[in-house]
């Protein structure tokens, strides 16, 4: 790891758990695909490898997005916000779906009439994604 | 408050602090403008009033976005993710800028050559926004 690489991570205001939220957005359509978390190592790997690497809070380990589904995210740009506590990734979503439900985006429910209503189609059965 | 309204908030997996991250995205261009936090009351008010109301963690109170700057966010759509722990707001950003630095988006820095580089212009001097 280089000094320069350490610099850009030092700028970030990590949570008490040492994480930062990272929003993945389709670099062409602007569709927000998902939000996940990164630790310093996953951010470093994302910058080095050019694919999105998150920190899985539930599994407590590095999570190369797409490692089981094949739906990797090619990272075109990494942005930081004014408070230095949120990251945006502009990505190319392999397979056209980011969500484990087989949808393009994890944000497939809209608030209508006081209820969360599913408005986006399943593109591929999760059984066929993770088999 | 109606039963229906309580239902849609009960679906959300609030943090231990009783908050949920909310990403504001321009409803036309798709530009991600900012990420802030909501508590149940601010989400309820956002749904009722059709303008973005966040919870300011630093001030510990409700924050009607634009209350001092005039840069309110008209909410066109509210979305929820598959894990029920992140919200996306599709908004119309009044004044054309969401960031307190006078920029369109809070995500005005890009990671280049191992450094965060500012790539977006200031549209209005913050002194003139908050005076």
């Amino acid at each position: 790891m280089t000094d320069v690489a350490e610099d850009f991570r030092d700028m970030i205001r990590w949570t008490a758990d040492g994480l930062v939220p990272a929003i993945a957005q389709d670099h062409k359509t602007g569709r927000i695909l998902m939000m996940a978390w990164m630790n310093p190592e996953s951010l470093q790997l994302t910058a080095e490898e050019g694919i999105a690497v998150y920190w899985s809070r539930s599994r407590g380990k590095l999570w190369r997005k797409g490692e089981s589904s094949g739906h990797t995210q090619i990272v075109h740009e990494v942005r930081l916000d004014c408070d230095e506590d949120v990251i945006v990734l502009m990505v190319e979503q392999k397979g056209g779906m980011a969500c484990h439900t087989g949808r393009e985006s994890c944000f497939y429910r809209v608030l209508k009439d006081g209820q969360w209503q599913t408005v986006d189609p399943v593109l591929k059965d999760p059984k066929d994604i993770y088999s």
Side-chain angles (χ1 to χ4, degrees), chain A residues 88-104:
Chain A
V88 164
L89 306 177
M90 302 294 284
V91 306
E92 179 184 340
Q93 176 63 62
K94 291 297 178 186
M97 63 197 87
C99 187
H100 75 287
T101 65
R103 293 180 175 90
E104 178 189 11

Side-chain angles (χ1 to χ4, degrees), chain A residues 20-124:
Chain A
V20 68
I23 305 161
Q25 176 178 37
D26 186 287
H27 76 119
K28 281 195 177 163
T29 68
R31 181 80 194 263
I32 297 178
L33 301 172
M34 56 182 282
M35 193 195 95
W37 295 80
M38 289 184 164
N39 69 354
E41 187 182 3
S42 68
L43 177 57
Q44 176 71 22
L45 290 169
T46 298
E48 282 177 4
E49 301 180 3
I51 61 162
V53 182
Y54 302 101
W55 176 258
S56 170
R57 295 182 302 174
S58 59
R59 287 176 288 160
K61 59 178 219 174
L62 288 174
W63 167 34
R64 280 180 168 73
K65 170 70 182 165
E67 60 194 6
S68 56
S69 64
H71 298 159
T72 52
Q73 294 175 334
I74 313 298
V75 176
H76 287 240
E77 197 172 78
V78 183
R79 287 187 176 243
L80 180 65
D81 76 335
C82 54
D83 293 330
E84 291 102 15
D85 62 0
V86 184
I87 282 179
V88 164
L89 306 177
M90 302 294 284
V91 306
E92 179 184 340
Q93 176 63 62
K94 291 297 178 186
M97 63 197 87
C99 187
H100 75 287
T101 65
R103 293 180 175 90
E104 178 189 11
S105 163
C106 294
F107 298 91
Y108 57 81
R109 285 177 286 199
V110 171
L111 184 60
K112 283 186 188 173
D113 305 324
Q115 302 286 345
W116 299 108
Q117 301 189 12
T118 297
V119 295
D120 294 344
V122 172
L123 303 176
K124 190 170 181 179

